[in-house]
Amino acid sequence: MTGWPTVARRIRVPLGFAFAVAYLWLARPSWLSIAVGGAMVAVGLALRGYASGHLVKATELTTTGPYAYTRNPLYFGSIVMATGFALAARSLWLAVAMVVMLAVIYVPVIRFEEEYMRAHFAEFAEYAGRVPRLWPRMMASGAGGRFSAELYLKHREYNALLGAAGVMAALVFKLVWFSR
């Protein structure tokens, strides 16, 4: 892997932290926007957590659970979370910046990961032919599988929960502190 996909994979987490600072500075939350946005963030977190509890990285192609509906449920959950954060912030500029950031970072990362899976898992081509890349299909056969709390913990998905809770708490603090 070379070029932008390499850079995108390496900077996505640090860039997220830098963006969080700008996000909190520019956000104009209201109680309603925090409630609606927070509910959507919770849905995204649930999707990511559920997907993380099914994912066995690098050793097998995961096709059960949420992976029966979309090939990228972790990224789909991140998009749902970003939408929730955009709603909570009540800022068109932040929403546009989020869309650009997600496109610039996730598109090359998804493409790289699909190249890797195509090269390492013979069954990936058939899987990719029946399961959409990002937007989930409504019905899926073979969704089954079993959620594993051990995998959830191994992948440290709880960090997304802690980060989201921190950002939402900061929005509440900003609303209370600056609305005096």
Side-chain angles (χ1 to χ4, degrees), residues 4-24 94 97-109 167:
W4 180 247
T6 301
V7 173
R9 284 179 53 88
R10 289 187 181 150
I11 68 168
R12 64 183 167 176
V13 173
L15 185 63
F17 285 115
F19 185 80
V21 171
Y23 171 87
L24 291 171
L94 284 172
M98 284 181 186
V99 168
V100 169
M101 192 168 87
L102 289 170
V104 167
I105 298 296
Y106 284 130
V107 169
V109 169
V167 170

Side-chain angles (χ1 to χ4, degrees), residues 121-134:
F121 302 107
E123 66 273 27
F124 182 77
E126 184 274 326
Y127 171 65
R130 66 181 165 81
V131 177
R133 175 177 282 150
L134 194 59

Side-chain angles (χ1 to χ4, degrees), residues 79-133:
I79 291 168
V80 172
M81 287 176 62
T83 303
F85 282 125
L87 290 171
R90 290 186 337 133
S91 168
L92 181 59
W93 291 109
L94 284 172
V96 169
M98 284 181 186
V99 168
V100 169
M101 192 168 87
L102 289 170
V104 167
I105 298 296
Y106 284 130
V107 169
V109 169
I110 288 170
R111 286 186 180 149
F112 165 78
E113 289 176 355
E114 288 192 350
E115 286 175 23
Y116 173 86
M117 288 191 278
R118 206 173 297 283
H120 289 83
F121 302 107
E123 66 273 27
F124 182 77
E126 184 274 326
Y127 171 65
R130 66 181 165 81
V131 177
R133 175 177 282 150

Side-chain angles (χ1 to χ4, degrees), residues 140-174:
S141 59
R146 186 170 236 163
F147 175 84
S148 167
E150 288 176 28
L151 285 173
Y152 174 89
L153 294 171
K154 177 183 175 186
H155 300 314
R156 299 186 310 243
E157 190 59 35
Y158 52 82
N159 286 326
L161 175 63
L162 295 173
V167 170
M168 295 308 287
L171 287 177
V172 169
F173 176 79
K174 182 174 184 174

Side-chain angles (χ1 to χ4, degrees), residues 49-90:
Y50 186 53
S52 184
H54 281 267
L55 181 61
V56 181
K57 291 182 179 180
T59 59
E60 67 182 57
L61 180 65
T62 305
T63 61
T64 61
Y67 292 88
Y69 297 91
T70 172
R71 296 193 311 259
N72 292 285
L74 286 165
Y75 298 137
F76 182 70
S78 293
I79 291 168
V80 172
M81 287 176 62
T83 303
F85 282 125
L87 290 171
R90 290 186 337 133

